[in-house]
Amino acid sequence: MTAFRSRSIVWRLAVAFAAVSLMSFAAVAAYVYAAILDDYAQRDADDLRNKAAFVRRVIEDAGVAGKINAAADRLRDVVLSHHGLALVLQDAEGRQLFGVPDRDMPPIAFSGEARDGDRVETHLVRDGAGERRYRALRGRLLTPEGEIRYVLVLDLADEAAMVRQHLVSILAAAAIGLAVSVALGLLVVRANLKPLRAIAAAARTVSASNLAVDLPTAGMPRELQQLGEAFNAMLASLRGSFARLAEFSGDLAHELRTPVGNLIGLAQVTLAKPRSAEEYRLVLESSVEECERLSRMVADMLFLVRMDRPTEPLRRTEFELAAEVRHVVQFFEPLLEDRRLSVSVSGAGTVNADRDLVRRAIGNLVSNAVRHTPDGGRIEISVRARGGRIECAVRNPGAWIPQEHLPRIFDRFHCVDPSRAGAGAGLGLAMVKSIAEAHGGRVSAASEPGRQTEFVLELPAGPTPEEHAG
């Protein structure tokens, strides 16, 4: 079975087509052969009945058994005109009155009982020469001198030879038809699998340096067209992934270059001449700040990698999202007081999620809102249920985000402009997106001039209190 599955599609289709063709031709051959046999049997029966009718007329014309010999020539002519036919006339006691041919009479002619009607029977006789088949018709006729019985026997030897020739012809035609059908089937299969070979050839040309491959799907069969479209979609996805990877690598190098460059420049300036202890302390403090920035960036990158390729399942629990938002906001109170910012939290909703990850996502959204809200502004956070999900919307006033940046606002290291980037590395919103998608949710952003900027985090809802009670 394994060997069959490992064969090519052409080979498997050829075997299947050959099996179907074989069964079809076998069924047709069997039907034709049975029809030929039935036709021969029907013709034999009609001939025997016609001969029997003639024999009855001759006997009726003769009148009595003694005068039958006078009609012998008529009987002999009609019997001998049909190859393999024999006729026997007997009286009521079974004594033979007449027989044609005169010798080599088949034994079936002297067995069996006479009967009225024209029923034709087929008999198989075994003797020293082998098996022979006969068809016999028995009858009787009442004359003034008594009953006369007649038996017409047809030897089927010649007919059997002709049937065998028909069978050989049928089998030969079926074999030729089978061979032609399989050959044509192979040609048709190979012709229709050309698009698959085109897909395989295109796949062999794909590499990291050559992703600009698109299959022409027009004219393909519907099933292969779907495969071609899926292949093109996969390549388009790969091109997008490689483009994002290249862009991400460039952004990562740029983000790392700045703190590393700062560290190297600061160290070189410090080592250019002797410094006091206070100066060395200031240099070390600046170096520590840059190292901490690098450490946070590396930690965030490792977090994103873990979210993209999780090795452990999420530790889901059910908790009240609005209460968690208020808990997160408390960590920002010193900064809120320093900048005279206010935060309002409204609504309620129970989610089924990883509490630590959700807390981190909300913290990033609140931090982003605080960073871009003017001093004295107000940040609004609302929690609401919608369509089996819980939405956490964070709205803040401030500079609006241009529409062309909204589709990429959650990409790693993407910054709308340096003034909005601040001291961050552009990974906070990317982390929110990864956390949302890991839970089967999503995050979106909306911003228009003169209106608030809104970020909406969607998470799967937990059971309601009524469901808990049930």
Side-chain angles (χ1 to χ4, degrees):
M1 191 65 177
T2 304
F4 179 80
R5 291 176 179 173
S6 63
R7 297 281 187 175
S8 68
I9 294 179
V10 174
W11 188 90
R12 285 188 284 180
L13 288 178
V15 171
F17 195 79
V20 173
S21 299
L22 178 61
M23 290 187 290
S24 300
F25 279 108
V28 171
Y31 174 79
V32 171
Y33 183 67
I36 291 175
L37 292 178
D38 184 70
D39 182 66
Y40 273 111
Q42 187 63 40
R43 287 193 295 175
D44 291 343
D46 291 341
D47 288 342
L48 289 174
R49 291 188 183 103
N50 292 333
K51 302 300 182 185
F54 180 80
V55 169
R56 284 195 296 270
R57 286 197 299 271
V58 171
I59 295 175
E60 290 172 351
D61 292 343
V64 294
K67 297 181 180 180
I68 288 179
N69 289 331
D73 291 338
R74 295 176 62 192
L75 293 174
R76 186 175 288 104
D77 290 342
V78 74
V79 172
L80 295 179
S81 64
H82 196 296
H83 185 71
L85 184 63
L87 171 64
V88 175
L89 298 181
Q90 300 172 331
D91 59 17
E93 285 74 27
R95 292 187 297 270
Q96 181 174 338
L97 301 176
F98 179 81
V100 180
D102 299 329
R103 55 185 178 178
D104 299 328
M105 187 69 66
I108 191 65
F110 304 102
S111 62
E113 296 181 358
R115 58 173 59 88
D116 295 327
D118 55 358
R119 179 180 176 184
V120 177
E121 299 176 343
T122 302
H123 298 271
L124 176 64
V125 177
R126 293 183 175 87
D127 53 24
E131 292 184 351
R132 297 178 68 89
R133 288 184 179 273
Y134 298 91
R135 285 198 175 94
L137 186 149
R138 304 174 188 278
R140 58 185 177 180
L141 187 66
L142 294 177
T143 66
E145 294 186 356
E147 180 184 87
I148 296 179
R149 300 176 182 178
Y150 59 89
V151 182
L152 285 166
V153 180
L154 180 63
D155 189 348
L156 302 182
D158 293 340
E159 183 178 302
M162 295 179 64
V163 169
R164 284 194 295 270
Q165 291 178 359
H166 288 312
L167 180 59
V168 171
S169 299
I170 292 172
L171 293 178
I176 294 173
L178 176 62
V180 172
S181 298
V182 171
L184 291 178
L186 283 173
L187 292 177
V188 171
V189 169
R190 287 184 179 276
N192 282 277
L193 288 182
K194 281 184 178 179
L196 273 182
R197 291 193 287 272
I199 293 175
R204 283 192 290 268
T205 64
V206 175
S207 64
S209 59
N210 181 29
L211 293 174
V213 179
D214 277 317
L215 289 177
T217 57
M220 283 186 176
R222 182 178 303 172
E223 296 80 5
L224 296 184
Q225 189 175 23
Q226 294 175 354
L227 178 62
E229 291 173 352
F231 184 79
N232 289 338
M234 178 193 69
L235 289 177
S237 177
L238 286 176
R239 286 194 293 270
S241 298
F242 272 81
R244 288 191 295 272
L245 180 61
E247 184 178 357
F248 170 73
S249 300
D251 293 339
L252 179 60
H254 175 75
E255 293 293 334
L256 292 176
R257 181 178 61 184
T258 300
V260 171
N262 292 340
L263 288 172
I264 295 175
L266 189 60
Q268 289 175 341
V269 171
T270 303
L271 295 175
K273 63 179 181 179
R275 306 285 181 177
S276 64
E278 180 63 20
E279 290 175 323
Y280 282 121
R281 188 180 65 81
L282 294 175
V283 169
L284 290 176
E285 289 178 352
S286 298
S287 298
V288 168
E289 290 179 359
E290 293 295 337
C291 289
E292 289 177 346
R293 180 183 174 188
L294 283 173
S295 178
R296 288 194 300 271
M297 186 185 303
V298 171
D300 291 343
M301 288 301 304
L302 291 176
F303 174 82
L304 289 172
V305 170
R306 288 195 299 270
M307 294 303 298
D308 289 342
R309 296 176 177 82
T311 56
E312 297 180 358
L314 299 177
R315 294 174 294 180
R316 292 179 180 267
T317 57
E318 296 168 8
F319 57 91
E320 172 56 46
L321 185 58
E324 197 63 36
V325 171
R326 294 186 181 92
H327 179 74
V328 171
V329 170
Q330 291 179 356
F331 290 97
F332 293 88
E333 286 183 353
L335 181 58
L336 295 174
E337 292 177 359
D338 183 59
R339 296 183 52 196
R340 295 176 288 106
L341 300 176
S342 61
V343 178
S344 65
V345 180
S346 62
T350 302
V351 297
N352 182 10
D354 188 308
R355 185 189 297 267
D356 293 336
L357 294 180
V358 171
R359 184 178 297 173
R360 188 164 190 171
I362 294 173
N364 287 350
L365 291 178
V366 174
S367 175
N368 180 75
V370 170
R371 187 164 60 251
H372 299 107
T373 300
D375 291 350
R378 178 181 178 83
I379 300 172
E380 298 177 356
I381 304 175
S382 62
V383 177
R384 60 181 181 270
R386 179 176 294 178
R389 293 176 179 269
I390 302 298
E391 295 183 352
C392 177
V394 180
R395 292 179 289 274
N396 67 279
W400 68 287
I401 303 174
Q403 292 296 316
E404 63 269 18
H405 287 280
L406 283 177
R408 299 192 56 202
I409 195 68
F410 297 100
D411 291 350
R412 301 170 188 181
F413 299 116
H414 182 77
C415 296
V416 177
D417 57 58
S419 63
R420 289 185 68 89
L427 295 176
L429 294 179
M431 295 167 64
V432 175
K433 179 182 178 183
S434 295
I435 293 172
E437 291 179 347
H439 286 84
R442 69 186 189 98
V443 64
S444 59
S447 182
E448 296 181 10
R451 300 182 63 179
Q452 291 182 324
T453 298
E454 181 182 51
F455 288 85
V456 180
L457 172 64
E458 296 182 13
L459 296 172
T464 61
E466 291 78 6
E467 292 173 333
H468 267 304

